[in-house]
Amino acid sequence: MTGQPGRTGRGGGQAGAGDLLALVRTGRATTRGALQQATGLSRATVGQRLDRLFRAGWLREGAGGPVDSPLGGRPSITLEFDDAHAVVLAADLDTRHARAAVLSLTGEVLAEHSGTLAVEDGPDTVLGELGGWFAELLEKAGHRADEVCGIGLAVPGPVDSETGLVVQPPIMPGWDGYDIRGRLARAFTERAGTAPVPVLVDNDANLMAYGEQRTGYPDCSAFVLVKVSTGIGAGVVVGGEIFRGVDGGAGDIGHIRVGSEALCRCGSHGCLAAVASGGAVARRLAETGVPAASGSDVRDLLAAGHPGAAALAREAGRQVGDVLATVVTLLNPGVLMIAGDLAGTSFVTGVRELLYQRALPRSTARLEVVTSRLGERAGLVGAGALVVEHLYAPGRVEERLLALGV
């Protein structure tokens, strides 16, 4: 909104139904009287716009709130976002593994499935398989296909958020410039027998950061998540919004040069991912005769207490911590979260050692260095939230209400 806070809608005009829904969803105004006060609209106008939201099934009345007047009277009826009118589908792709789920509009996981799905098999095969997973998950969750309002997808590569296209992904052969949105929408339609729904695509670290920040650190104005698995990437949330850069390349710290001659999968030498990712640690373990081919293999070895894996993970953490000292100095985040296959004690200890040694004391004075709260669900929760925030943004609400004829 612009102008006087809370009293006007998009472009300085009167607040529309979408603006009222946003006030209710965020808890800033949850009664008719509070909506009048926040928007400056008349009681009749607020009532008319709320009626559209009720008819769409997006709002419901809750319990009566406290009586505001000292003279008493009837309690105000509270308004609530009705999260039961639709569901969201979400999937999180890794290099050799995928996870998919049906989520409520408030992020609750209603049904979930994980399994082997290799991105190197190409987008047509992988997205077609996801369409089948989604259809089965809906049945498992007890929801119809026509209840799905959108699909969110997290992928392990840089994404242009405007087009949904993956841009020159180092570890996703065959995906560059592919129409992911269109193919996944068709795959779901073919398997579920329903009309196409909107599909949103973003980088996995971005969506993990978004999910973690919204659920665990909503008051943190600058939040950074670093995912260290087969590759390395970072997601940045500033002011509650994902920071993507000009074309989706923000946070790609795995390809910062660190002075090594190791060959990276991107074709360059000396990238951080080439020496400190789960894939790099797996290669070094394999050279010593330890069976390891990916970050997930390293994770399993760390869980089993393998001393060689622990030593290499700590060394990798120190290399990543050296780079993160610059990231922390530049962004001054309140929370730095370490996630992914290597996000255990050994790796985090290494990160802390170099981070606090190299970063300015002022940059780390109020910094929390933590590990993931949502674990393997972080990308799913973030993907679901991305869809919900897109579909229920004020301008989009107006378009959807008109399409519904209300």
Side-chain angles (χ1 to χ4, degrees):
M1 296 184 181
T2 58
Q4 187 175 350
R7 300 191 68 82
T8 56
R10 299 162 310 287
Q14 283 195 332
D19 298 295
L20 268 60
L21 182 64
L23 290 168
V24 173
R25 286 186 60 227
T26 58
R28 287 179 289 165
T30 57
T31 66
R32 288 168 173 81
L35 288 170
Q36 288 177 242
Q37 186 175 13
T39 63
L41 298 175
S42 69
R43 179 177 180 179
T45 301
V46 167
Q48 291 169 355
R49 293 179 182 173
L50 290 178
D51 182 60
R52 298 177 67 199
L53 297 171
F54 279 115
R55 281 187 285 148
W58 297 354
L59 276 188
R60 65 188 174 207
E61 291 187 342
V67 177
D68 295 329
S69 170
L71 301 177
R74 292 189 300 174
S76 300
I77 300 297
T78 59
L79 302 170
E80 300 174 350
F81 178 60
D82 190 344
D83 65 339
H85 71 269
V87 293
V88 175
L89 298 174
D92 184 4
L93 293 180
D94 209 331
T95 52
R96 300 196 306 166
H97 182 271
R99 186 175 295 270
V102 181
L103 295 95
S104 73
L105 296 181
T106 52
E108 179 187 358
V109 176
L110 306 176
E112 187 176 7
H113 174 73
S114 63
T116 300
L117 202 57
V119 294
E120 63 185 18
D121 290 340
D124 189 62
T125 298
V126 170
L127 299 174
E129 187 72 15
L130 280 181
W133 286 15
F134 285 148
E136 294 171 4
L137 281 169
L138 281 170
E139 185 175 351
K140 180 180 178 181
H143 284 275
R144 303 185 313 273
D146 61 6
E147 294 179 85
V148 176
C149 63
I151 299 172
L153 178 64
V155 298
V159 177
D160 184 331
S161 62
E162 293 297 318
T163 63
L165 300 179
V166 177
V167 182
Q168 299 179 357
I171 58 175
M172 299 179 70
W175 290 72
D176 185 22
Y178 185 88
D179 180 17
I180 296 175
R181 290 176 176 175
R183 175 64 180 112
L184 187 53
R186 290 194 303 274
F188 174 62
T189 297
E190 291 164 2
R191 297 298 294 269
T194 188
V197 297
V199 176
L200 274 70
V201 185
D202 210 328
N203 170 261
D204 55 357
N206 282 349
L207 293 181
M208 290 172 69
Y210 195 46
E212 294 277 9
Q213 188 271 338
R214 288 173 59 85
T215 58
Y217 301 90
D219 298 326
C220 181
S221 60
F223 179 97
V224 176
L225 177 143
V226 178
K227 179 185 179 184
V228 186
S229 291
T230 298
I232 300 176
V236 180
V237 180
V238 176
E241 301 290 336
I242 298 172
F243 179 77
R244 299 183 176 89
V246 174
D247 60 5
D252 201 4
I253 65 170
H255 300 286
I256 291 175
R257 304 294 175 83
V258 293
S260 167
E261 290 303 312
L263 178 63
C264 182
R265 294 180 66 171
C266 72
S268 298
H269 291 268
C271 295
L272 180 65
V275 297
S277 66
V281 172
R283 286 192 296 275
R284 293 184 65 183
L285 286 168
E287 290 169 0
T288 66
V290 178
S294 68
S296 59
D297 292 333
V298 177
R299 178 192 61 204
D300 294 341
L301 289 167
L302 291 171
H306 190 284
L312 289 174
R314 183 166 181 168
E315 181 182 341
R318 288 171 58 84
Q319 291 167 314
V320 172
D322 197 10
V323 170
L324 289 179
T326 301
V327 173
V328 166
T329 301
L330 178 65
L331 296 178
N332 189 210
V335 175
L336 172 62
M337 178 173 284
I338 310 299
D341 292 329
L342 265 62
T345 302
S346 300
F347 184 86
V348 175
T349 297
V351 168
R352 288 175 176 273
E353 287 174 357
L354 262 289
L355 172 63
Y356 287 103
Q357 178 182 327
R358 299 291 172 83
L360 291 172
R362 187 186 183 285
S363 301
T364 57
R366 298 172 59 187
L367 176 68
E368 292 184 63
V369 180
V370 300
T371 54
S372 172
R373 290 187 174 190
L374 296 174
E376 294 181 335
R377 287 181 168 177
L380 295 176
V381 173
L386 185 73
V387 172
V388 172
E389 292 306 315
H390 172 75
L391 292 178
Y392 294 93
R396 184 71 60 178
V397 164
E398 294 293 343
E399 295 175 9
R400 295 177 65 205
L401 288 174
L402 288 172
L404 291 171
V406 298

